[in-house]
Amino acid sequence: DNDEFGKEAFNTLLTRAENYRDRLMIIMAGYEEQMRQLLAVNEGMERRFPHKLHFENYNEDELMEIFDSMLNKRHYSLHHDAVNAVKRLIKSKMSRNNFGNAGEIRNMLEGMIQKLAVRALNQKIEQSEDRRTIRRIDVEEYIGYETENEKTLDDYLDELNNLTGMETVKKHIMDEIKSSKIAQERARRAGVAYSPGSLHMLLVGNAGTGKTTVARLIGKIYGKAGLIKNEDIFVEIRRESLVAGYMGQ
């Protein structure tokens, strides 16, 4: 309501829609509630846009067809042991209020492909067909990630603080979060992109001291705090996936 520039642009659009209706076609697309609010801004809005098409949500079979189409376009396949798991996941997602239809399916597929890539690397899968076949384990790994991803920054910080000991480690992470929030706010005010600088880290300690647990938490905490642009890219890889078994391998 207080956006004067927006009002001016909107009124200009309406004027053009009326004055140039014989040689100008304007198509507006958006969510139903937001479009309803937009039409209510000006009583002449609906008159100037007489053709209204309503897009229904896709049903379960259509979404599975979209999943298969996206899968084929990216030259991947779905193993028969994963079909029912994908269908159950789609059905579960459809019950959510903010379900994104085809966009949700695309995100789901990309997440499964990422889980497949990590599994292929960790298991040293060499066959091209196997490296491009999503199995049930990849779907289950993605479902586990989705559940985990619903947690907030505070949830992960609570997990960190509930670990026994590690006071120096906890302080370092908390200091990084505080510094990043200040830096992000400064960047926002200056109108520039925020860059956290180098985040590379060595966790050193004897067996059983919590290095792996903390490493996993750091990836999630830094992702939620904005230090990592997308926490999805934090991938865990075992030593044997990086180190050759013999010279020249």
Side-chain angles (χ1 to χ4, degrees):
D1 291 339
N2 296 323
D3 186 357
E4 293 300 325
F5 176 79
K7 288 181 180 178
E8 183 179 349
F10 186 70
N11 289 331
T12 300
L13 177 66
L14 287 181
T15 300
R16 293 294 178 91
E18 180 66 25
N19 295 344
Y20 300 98
R21 61 185 181 277
D22 58 337
R23 55 192 177 93
L24 176 66
M25 179 181 185
I26 299 174
I27 299 176
M28 295 195 300
Y31 297 145
E32 188 167 0
E33 181 57 32
Q34 283 83 345
M35 292 301 293
R36 187 181 295 115
Q37 294 173 5
L38 181 63
L39 292 174
V41 170
N42 187 298
E43 59 183 13
M45 189 70 172
E46 288 205 60
R47 175 171 55 82
R48 291 179 173 87
F49 291 83
H51 306 288
K52 182 180 179 182
L53 302 178
H54 185 268
F55 288 73
E56 299 289 344
N57 288 329
Y58 290 109
N59 61 39
E60 189 175 342
D61 291 336
E62 290 169 335
L63 289 168
M64 192 65 199
E65 184 178 336
I66 290 170
F67 180 89
D68 288 335
S69 176
M70 291 180 176
L71 196 70
N72 292 332
K73 285 180 180 178
R74 298 188 63 167
H75 305 292
Y76 282 86
S77 62
L78 185 67
H79 194 273
H80 64 82
D81 72 354
V83 174
N84 287 335
V86 170
K87 287 182 176 180
R88 286 194 299 269
L89 179 58
I90 289 175
K91 187 173 183 179
S92 173
K93 283 178 170 291
M94 289 175 67
S95 64
R96 301 178 184 179
N97 292 330
N98 59 346
F99 177 61
N101 284 282
E104 191 91 27
I105 297 300
R106 181 182 60 251
N107 294 340
M108 190 174 84
L109 175 58
E110 289 175 353
M112 292 177 189
I113 289 175
Q114 183 186 64
K115 295 303 178 185
L116 166 59
V118 173
R119 178 172 63 83
L121 183 62
N122 285 334
Q123 296 180 5
K124 296 184 178 179
I125 297 174
E126 297 181 358
Q127 290 292 332
S128 176
E129 182 178 352
D130 291 337
R131 293 178 70 92
R132 305 192 74 82
T133 301
I134 296 174
R135 301 190 65 110
R136 180 176 176 179
I137 188 173
D138 304 313
V139 179
E140 292 174 346
E141 283 289 323
Y142 171 74
I143 293 173
Y145 160 76
E146 268 217 324
T147 303
E148 188 73 12
N149 199 42
E150 292 177 357
K151 292 184 179 180
T152 65
L153 173 60
D154 287 338
D155 291 330
Y156 289 126
L157 290 176
D158 285 343
E159 286 188 33
L160 175 69
N161 289 322
N162 286 334
L163 295 176
T164 301
M166 307 183 191
E167 299 308 321
T168 301
V169 173
K170 293 175 183 176
K171 183 179 184 304
H172 175 84
I173 295 172
M174 294 304 298
D175 288 345
E176 285 290 319
I177 299 302
K178 291 175 183 176
S179 297
S180 75
K181 288 182 177 180
I182 295 172
Q184 287 179 58
E185 179 60 21
R186 286 175 177 168
R188 187 188 67 80
R189 291 181 179 179
V192 297
Y194 166 69
S195 176
S198 176
L199 296 174
H200 304 316
M201 189 179 300
L202 290 175
L203 305 186
V204 183
N206 292 327
T209 53
K211 301 183 298 299
T212 302
T213 298
V214 170
R216 291 168 179 162
L217 274 174
I218 288 174
K220 296 165 184 174
I221 290 171
Y222 280 22
K224 291 296 183 183
L227 279 86
I228 301 174
K229 291 184 178 179
N230 184 349
E231 62 263 34
D232 292 2
I233 65 175
F234 191 89
V235 178
E236 182 176 340
I237 300 175
R238 297 183 181 278
R239 176 185 180 277
E240 53 267 27
S241 299
L242 299 174
V243 180
Y246 53 85
M247 186 70 71
Q249 184 177 353

